[in-house]
Each structure stands twice: as structure tokens, then as C-alpha cells.
Amino acid sequence: MLPNILWSALLLAMTTAAQLEPLHTSSRWILDANNKRFKLRCLNWAGHMEAHLPEGLQHQSVDTLAKWVADQGFNCVRLTFSIDMALDQGLKVSDSCSTLAERTGAPADAVADLWSRVKSKNSWIENISVGEAFGHVVDALGEAGLRVILDNHVSKASWCCNLDDGNGWWDEAQVYVDSNSRFFNTTNWVSGLRAMAQFSANHPAVAGIGLRNEIREVPVIQGRDAWYEYIVRGAHAVHDTNPDLLVVMGGTLSSTDISFLRNKPLDRSPFGDKVVYEWHHYTFSPNWIASFKTCSIWKSATVGGTSGFLLQQGKDYTGPLWLSEFGFSQAGGPPERHGIETQEDYDYLTCLVDYVKGNDGDWALWAIQGSYYVRDGVVDKDESWGVLKSDFSDWRNPGVKDVIADLFKVTQGP
Ligand SMILES: *[C@@H]1O[C@H](CO)[C@@H](O)[C@H](O)[C@H]1NC(C)=O
Ligand SMILES: *[C@@H]1O[C@H](CO)[C@@H](O)[C@H](O)[C@H]1NC(C)=O
């Protein structure tokens, strides 16, 4: 007979292990090892910027943040990374911080103070590398019962995603345009994906990897044929390195258009039952603008054709479709809009929630970070779209919980 306390420890260990088993797909569903639906209800967390660290560790301990995310009912985090970090995982966090001022144009004394605040909230970080720090954050999320989908947000660690930031389109693909490809080294991208798939083998909370955030072509001259070629290359880099992972891929036009799969489905057979499609939706998304920002038009004429059709079951193209980013200002507004700042945001959000609720889709809200280590050369730069306040203590606008409440429910399944 084991003493009760040991039984509890053993059971806890077994539950945690079961929670961290690989996910897979069937038809439009993401399923766990017991073939039960695992609906992604995630919060985005930026880790792709110049510090090469998940944001916010100067404000709260990672365990506090992981617990907060889990306590709100999210079951996963979409954690973004750069290829720069993926290929330089051995870089000491202290060295990343000591060059951060120079690399971002932020004041050196403010960056030095930032690093001492990171160490005081998270003393474990002092002597380790950026790869180990990512691992520590992922493991902490896993211990809080959360899964992690890593997302390759950019090649060059920096804010994303402008049309001319050089991270938008594979440099080897035709036609080369410097403004959207100058940092997107295809060889390094493949190596970086492999490196993160390898990393994930040691951090079982990771359930999948997103191949590239918001592919941004120059319309017309950069073609969709390249999408098939390079997405397949990235999918092989992940799947052939770690076949347990979900392989997440978004369409073109900043992940708002994957309509081409209807007539030319992707051959997913090399990747088993692991492929998940993703889409993004904002007030500035082209199909929302094309619908005159009118919910009824968007629902009836636009979203189904650009992405939503993938959820139709029994088709060659059927697959899970994850709304891996949606977001809006969290700055606050009147109570009749649950604190949503503008009427435009409120109309967009309630329309989107209604749509995703209707098909019980998987989703990820953008984003946890209430501020950045450094952005625009400013230390602790506030993020008004951050779900958390600037000090990462709690909801910036608690009213959001009411507006998205229905998305947490699971109403459909295989
Ligand atoms: C980091 O290294 C220094 C110098 O060796 C040591 O004094 C300190 O205790 C270490 N910190 C941690 C958290 O291991
Ligand atoms: C991409 O990076 C590799 C090193 O990994 C380098 O050999 C190659 O020249 C780079 N490609 C371009 C177009 O800069």
C-alpha cells in the first residue's frame, strides 16, 4: 500500500502525462489520445521580438502567468517565436539582454533595469539560454494544464506584420520582392522549424507548430503555386523531425484566404492525421472590408468562401480550421458594449463570436501581452490590445469575458 499522499502524487503525474499526449485530427476535429475532442481555446503570447523571450517576465513570475491563463478557462497558448531565436537557442538570456538596447535603439539604462526586473520576478532565468527559457515557459504552461502551439511568427525577431517588413514571403519563391522577402531566408526557415520540432520533443506540452504566421504575398505577381511548394517543405521539416506534432498552416493574404484549397486540396498524406488549417480575422482584414464591414454580408458572401468551407465534412479538403488570431483594442468603453472601445470593434467582435459559436470553431485570442520588453525603441511599451494590463496583473477590460463567453463552450464533436 502506498501512503495516500504518494497515490495522489502518482495520480497527478499520470493525469499530467495523459494531458500531454499528442493530439491528432479526424475530419474537422482536433482529438486527444482518447479520441475525445480537444477544442483549442487559446490565448496568444508573443515571444518573437528582439529580446527572444516570451513577453512579460519583468512583471510576473511565469507560474503566476500560467495559472492566470488556465484560471480564465483557456486550455492552450499560441506562443510565437522567431527563426532568429530558433537557430540561436544557445544564446544566453543575459547576452540577449545586454545587446538589446543596441539592437532596438532603446536607452541602455532602461534595458539594464528591465533585465534586473526580469531576474527578480523569475530568478531561474539568470544563467540560462533563450532556448532553455522558452522551454521553462512551455513546461510551466504544461504544469498549469495548458497545451502550447508554437507559432513561427517571423524570421527576423521584430514586430510583425507589415507588408514591407521583409518577413512575408519565401525569398526563394518567384517573384522575389525585397520588401516582403529580404529576411525570409527559406533555408533558415526550414532549419528553424526543424530546431523547434526537436525542441518540442523535450517539452511535451507543445502540441503543434504553426509553420508561418500571416504569409503575405504581393498580390498577383507572387503566386499560390509557391504556397503549396513551400508549405509542404515546412510541413516536412516539422513532421519528419517530430511526427507527434500538429502541423498548422494558414493561407495567403495574411492568413485570410485559403479559398484555393477548394479546387486544389493539399495532399496531406505525408503528414498523417496532423494537419490543422488556421485563419485570422480583424477589422482590417480584406474580406471584412469587402463585406462593407457588415456582418450579414460577411457571413453569407465572404467568410465561407475564403476559409469556412474547410469545415464542411466529407470533402477532400475537410480539416480543422483554427481562428488562431482575432483581436481588438482592450482600452475600455461604455458598459453597453461590455467595455469594447468602439462600435466598429463591437460589431466586428459580436459578428465573429456568433460565427465561430455557430460552427463551434477552435480559436485563439490576440493577445496576453499588456506591454513589451521593447517596442519602437521604448522599454515597457504599453499594448492597448493586450488582454492583460501593462503590468500583466489582470484583465485590462474584464467585459471581454462576457462577449466571448460562448466560445469557451464545446457544443459539437465527432
Ligand atoms: C548564476 O550564476 C552566478 C555566478 O555563478 C551565481 O552566483 C548565481 O547563483 C546563479 N544563479 C542561478 C539562479 O543559478
Ligand atoms: C540563407 O542563409 C544561408 C545560411 O543558412 C546562406 O548560406 C544563404 O546565402 C542565405 N540566402 C540568402 C539568399 O541570403
Side-chain angles (χ1 to χ4, degrees), residues 133-160:
F134 261 79
H136 190 107
V137 170
V138 167
D139 295 347
L141 293 168
E143 271 167 41
L146 298 159
R147 301 308 297 265
V148 175
I149 310 276
L150 296 171
D151 167 68
N152 174 222
H153 219 60
V154 284
S155 289
K156 182 181 170 56
S158 53
W159 180 247
C160 184

Side-chain angles (χ1 to χ4, degrees), residues 67-108:
K67 182 174 183 308
W68 186 89
V69 175
D71 284 351
Q72 311 312 310
F74 298 101
N75 66 359
C76 107
V77 162
R78 179 174 180 260
L79 180 60
T80 68
F81 69 90
S82 69
I83 295 296
D84 282 352
M85 192 289 296
L87 293 180
D88 198 10
Q89 290 181 46
L91 175 71
K92 291 275 190 232
V93 178
S94 54
D95 290 339
S96 177
C97 289
S98 68
T99 58
L100 187 59
E102 193 186 312
R103 289 183 291 119
T104 57

Side-chain angles (χ1 to χ4, degrees), residues 88-355:
D88 198 10
Q89 290 181 46
L91 175 71
K92 291 275 190 232
V93 178
S94 54
D95 290 339
S96 177
C97 289
S98 68
T99 58
L100 187 59
E102 193 186 312
R103 289 183 291 119
T104 57
D109 52 347
V111 171
D113 174 64
L114 172 73
W115 173 224
S116 64
R117 284 183 286 129
V118 169
K119 284 185 290 188
S120 83
K121 289 290 176 186
N122 291 279
S123 59
W124 49 269
I125 209 167
E126 185 170 2
N127 298 321
I128 66 176
S129 68
V130 293
E132 289 167 329
F134 261 79
H136 190 107
V137 170
V138 167
D139 295 347
L141 293 168
E143 271 167 41
L146 298 159
R147 301 308 297 265
V148 175
I149 310 276
L150 296 171
D151 167 68
N152 174 222
H153 219 60
V154 284
S155 289
K156 182 181 170 56
S158 53
W159 180 247
C160 184
C161 302
N162 295 323
L163 295 175
D164 60 355
D165 66 11
N167 286 297
W169 187 254
W170 301 274
D171 66 348
E172 285 179 13
Q174 296 301 313
V175 172
Y176 180 83
V177 179
D178 197 62
S179 62
N180 72 346
S181 292
R182 67 192 180 283
F183 299 123
F184 198 159
N185 180 309
T186 307
T187 310
N188 291 343
W189 173 67
V190 169
S191 306
L193 290 176
R194 266 198 221 109
M196 294 314 283
Q198 189 62 53
F199 162 98
S200 304
N202 301 320
H203 300 286
V206 178
I209 298 185
L211 301 178
R212 185 64 156 203
N213 182 66
E214 299 198 356
I215 291 291
R216 307 180 280 294
E217 76 275 38
V218 177
V220 186
I221 69 164
Q222 291 173 328
R224 288 164 176 180
D225 288 346
W227 183 91
Y228 289 89
E229 180 182 346
Y230 291 96
I231 281 293
V232 164
R233 221 189 271 186
H236 272 295
V238 170
H239 185 75
D240 300 352
T241 307
N242 184 346
D244 286 342
L245 297 172
L246 297 175
V247 178
V248 183
M249 50 183 79
T252 56
L253 284 179
S254 304
S255 221
T256 63
D257 180 22
I258 202 159
S259 59
F260 43 87
L261 290 182
R262 187 194 284 273
N263 293 326
K264 189 181 171 190
L266 183 72
D267 177 10
R268 288 169 283 177
S269 58
F271 317 116
D273 51 5
K274 296 297 187 182
V275 172
V276 171
Y277 297 116
E278 65 182 326
W279 67 299
H280 290 178
H281 189 55
Y282 289 104
T283 54
F284 46 81
S285 291
N287 57 27
W288 181 245
I289 292 168
S291 306
F292 310 102
K293 305 196 174 194
T294 302
C295 190
S296 56
I297 300 177
W298 181 72
K299 277 194 198 160
S300 66
T302 318
V303 62
T306 51
S307 326
F309 69 97
L310 292 170
L311 294 173
Q312 290 172 332
Q313 296 182 56
K315 308 284 188 188
D316 287 345
Y317 48 70
T318 305
L321 177 65
W322 178 32
L323 173 64
S324 57
E325 282 186 24
F326 69 104
F328 44 89
S329 167
Q330 306 273 341
E336 65 272 18
R337 287 199 301 260
H338 304 276
I340 307 297
E341 188 179 11
T342 64
Q343 187 64 41
E344 184 187 352
D345 279 354
Y346 188 71
D347 293 345
Y348 144 86
L349 179 60
T350 49
C351 180
L352 180 63
V353 166
D354 199 46
Y355 180 75

Side-chain angles (χ1 to χ4, degrees), residues 378-406:
V378 176
V379 171
D380 290 318
K381 173 87 188 235
D382 183 57
E383 171 57 278
S384 61
W385 284 39
V387 163
L388 289 179
K389 295 178 202 167
S390 209
D391 63 0
F392 284 61
S393 57
D394 208 350
W395 290 89
R396 191 178 284 256
N397 171 19
V400 169
K401 278 187 289 185
D402 302 331
V403 187
I404 67 170
D406 283 341

